[in-house]
Amino acid sequence: MNPIRKKRLYLIGLMLGGLGLATFLALKAFDDNLMFFFPPSDVVAGKAPKDHPFRVGGLVKVGSVERDGTHVEFDLTDNAETIRVAYDGILPDLFREGQGIVATGTLAGPRRVVASEVLAKHDENYMPPDVAKTLKTAHAEGIKGMREAAR
Amino acid sequence: MGIKRFFHQMGSPQYFYRVAGLWIPWLLGASLLLLVIGWVDGLVYAPTDYQQGDSYRIMFIHVPAAWMSMFIYMVMAFSGLLSLVWRVKMGEVIAVSCAPIGASFTLLALATGSLWGKPMWGTWWVWDARLTSELILFFLYLGVIALYGAIEDRRVGARAVAILALVGVVNIPIIHYSVEWWNTLHQPATITKLGKPSIVPSMLIPLLIGALAFKLFFFATVLMRARNELLERDRNTRWVKNLLEAEAK
C-alpha cells in the first residue's frame, strides 16, 4: 500500500478507536441511567428512588394475582426478592402469571409499589402452542424422572 | 485474479453503469419472488405463537427491516472508507446511494415495532436502550442525507458524509448488544444468540426467506440510485453524452 493511503487508514483507525473508547466510557458512566427498570432486589435494597416514580421489572409470581374489578395486585419477583405491585386500570393482553412485566410507579412501603402503568414483556422464544405444551409436559416429566432416579 | 479484475472494472463509471443495468431486473425479480414466498409462508402458513397468537406475524416485516437498517449502514460506512482511503469514486457513489434506502428500512423497523408494541407491550414507544439506539440510527441516516445535500461540491460532500458514516459505526454494536448490556423492554435476540435459535423452523424459514428478499431488494435499489448519481455527476463527460446520443436514436 502506498504511504499516503496507509497514513489515511491509520488516521481513520485512530479516530474510530478513540471514538469507540469515548463511547465505551460514556456508556459505562451512565450505565445505571441506561437501565430501563430496577429489578425487585434493587428496590428492596433501597436503590430505587423514594420521592419520584421509577420502573420495576420482573416476573409475575404464579398464583399471586388478585383482581377486584379493575384493581389488581400481584407479586413481582426476580427469583431473589419479591415485591407487591398494586395497579388500577387495564392490563396488556400478554399480562399473565409467570410472564415478565415492567411497571411504572412509586414506593408505598419497603416492598410495595403503586403502579400507574403496567407493560408486558415478551420473551425471545417463538413456537406454536402445541410445541409449548409438549415442552412443558416434557419438562415436568423430566423433573419427575430425575426425582425418582435420585430416590 | 478474476475477482480483483472485476472490482477494478467496477471502479469505472461507464462499466459499472452498464453492468448494474443488466443486474437490476434479475435482482428485483428474485427479490419479488422470494418476498411473495416468504410473506405468504409467514403470514398464512406459519403456526400461531404460543404467547402472542397471530400478532407476532408482524415480525416477518419488522425483523428483516431492522437487520437491513444495520446492514445497509455497514455497507455505507465501508464504501465511505474505500472512498476516503483509496479515493475510490464508486465508493462515494455507493455510500451516498445507501443513505435514503437505509433510512427507509430504519423507519419501517421503527414503525412496525411500534405497531407490534402497542398490542403486546401495551405501549407504542418507550425510551429503552434498543429503541433509542435504533432511533439514533435513523437520525444518523438523516444526517448523512442532509450533509450531502448541503455541500455543493459532490466530491467534498461525499468525503464529509464518509466521515460522518464512519463515526456513526459505534452505534451499530450498541444497537445489537443493547438488549444484553442493559435491561430493556425489548426482548433479547432470537436468531443470533449463542446456541440454537429459539424459534421453530416453520417460523424461522419464512423469516430468513423474507430477509434474503429484503437484501436483494436493497442491492437492486442501491444500484438504481448509484446509476442515477453517476449520470448526474458525469453529465458533462464523454461517456454520458455518448450514452444519451445512443438512447436518443
Side-chain angles (χ1 to χ4, degrees):
Chain A
M1 210 186 332
N2 84 40
I4 299 175
R5 289 175 183 169
K6 208 173 220 171
K7 202 178 134 198
R8 286 199 209 114
L9 194 62
Y10 280 150
L11 275 174
I12 291 172
L14 208 65
M15 176 189 88
L16 287 185
L19 202 72
L21 188 70
T23 314
F24 171 77
L25 291 175
L27 291 178
K28 196 93 189 136
F30 290 112
D31 207 28
D32 289 345
N33 303 51
L34 290 166
M35 291 297 173
F36 189 63
F37 54 80
F38 292 95
S41 307
D42 282 6
V43 177
V44 172
K47 285 183 190 159
K50 287 171 184 62
D51 46 355
H52 62 88
F54 60 94
R55 282 182 290 259
V56 56
L59 297 173
V60 178
K61 207 164 186 176
V62 176
S64 72
V65 180
E66 285 168 24
R67 285 169 207 263
D68 177 19
T70 60
H71 185 82
V72 58
E73 291 205 8
F74 56 88
D75 286 341
L76 194 64
T77 177
D78 56 2
N79 293 325
E81 293 286 354
T82 301
I83 58 166
R84 190 87 176 151
V85 177
Y87 175 66
D88 247 312
I90 298 161
L91 290 164
D93 286 350
L94 269 189
F95 179 92
R96 53 194 73 157
E97 294 180 350
Q99 187 76 18
I101 64 112
V102 177
T104 311
T106 44
L107 272 179
R111 283 170 183 270
R112 189 179 165 82
V113 167
V114 176
S116 56
E117 185 184 43
V118 173
L119 302 177
K121 262 176 85 95
H122 64 77
D123 58 23
E124 71 277 25
N125 305 315
Y126 300 90
M127 59 186 122
D130 48 326
V131 175
K133 208 171 153 189
T134 318
L135 275 183
K136 213 171 166 183
T137 23
H139 182 70
E141 274 167 14
I143 290 173
K144 214 171 115 191
M146 273 163 67
R147 281 206 183 119
E148 273 164 15
R151 228 173 259 154
Chain B
M1 200 60 221
I3 193 139
K4 206 170 171 188
R5 182 150 163 257
F6 170 74
F7 275 106
H8 210 78
Q9 284 180 325
M10 285 306 261
S12 137
Q14 197 175 350
Y15 186 82
F16 178 95
Y17 185 88
R18 198 170 60 79
V19 171
L22 294 175
W23 285 358
I24 287 167
W26 293 100
L27 287 170
L28 270 184
S31 143
L32 193 71
L33 185 72
L34 287 173
L35 201 63
V36 170
I37 297 173
W39 278 359
V40 168
D41 191 12
L43 300 179
V44 182
Y45 294 106
T48 53
D49 182 58
Y50 76 120
Q51 288 279 9
Q52 304 183 49
D54 279 322
S55 305
Y56 91 96
R57 288 180 201 278
I58 199 165
M59 88 170 172
F60 294 115
I61 301 170
H62 173 77
V63 175
W67 284 343
M68 287 315 291
S69 70
M70 294 190 275
F71 175 78
I72 296 173
Y73 198 90
M74 289 315 289
V75 172
M76 182 170 79
F78 184 73
S79 312
L81 186 73
L82 287 182
S83 76
L84 277 182
V85 177
W86 287 272
R87 296 285 189 261
V88 183
K89 199 177 149 193
M90 280 315 302
E92 297 176 10
V93 172
I94 298 286
V96 298
S97 304
C98 280
I101 310 169
S104 314
F105 275 115
T106 313
L107 189 65
L108 185 64
L110 287 168
T112 50
S114 187
L115 289 174
W116 194 358
K118 185 61 188 171
M120 290 299 110
W121 295 340
T123 180
W124 300 104
W125 183 264
V126 290
W127 294 100
D128 82 350
R130 169 55 73 81
L131 277 62
T132 309
S133 54
E134 182 76 8
L135 185 66
I136 290 172
L137 182 71
F138 182 59
F139 291 151
L140 276 168
Y141 277 122
L142 294 189
V144 165
I145 296 169
L147 187 61
Y148 188 60
I151 298 173
E152 190 116 18
D153 186 297
R154 284 174 190 262
R155 298 219 69 172
V156 178
R159 218 167 294 170
V161 156
I163 293 173
L164 176 60
L166 283 169
V167 166
V169 166
V170 292
N171 193 33
I172 298 293
I174 296 177
I175 297 175
H176 183 77
Y177 290 107
S178 55
V179 287
E180 288 175 31
W181 291 342
W182 306 290
N183 56 37
T184 51
L185 186 61
H186 194 286
Q187 73 285 359
T190 299
I191 319 273
T192 55
K193 71 180 183 186
L194 287 172
K196 251 173 75 177
S198 51
I199 175 168
V200 291
S202 51
M203 296 173 178
L204 179 62
I205 289 164
L207 184 64
L208 295 180
I209 294 175
L212 187 61
F214 273 37
K215 213 149 258 172
L216 294 178
F217 179 78
F218 159 66
F219 288 137
T221 44
V222 80
L223 291 181
M224 286 161 108
R225 294 195 73 89
R227 285 179 100 216
N228 268 343
E229 178 76 20
L230 272 180
L231 282 188
E232 277 182 34
R233 280 181 173 222
D234 288 358
R235 62 180 172 273
N236 293 321
T237 60
R238 189 78 251 152
W239 76 268
V240 175
K241 280 182 181 153
N242 286 343
L243 191 79
L244 288 179
E245 275 167 22
E247 295 256 315
K249 270 173 202 165

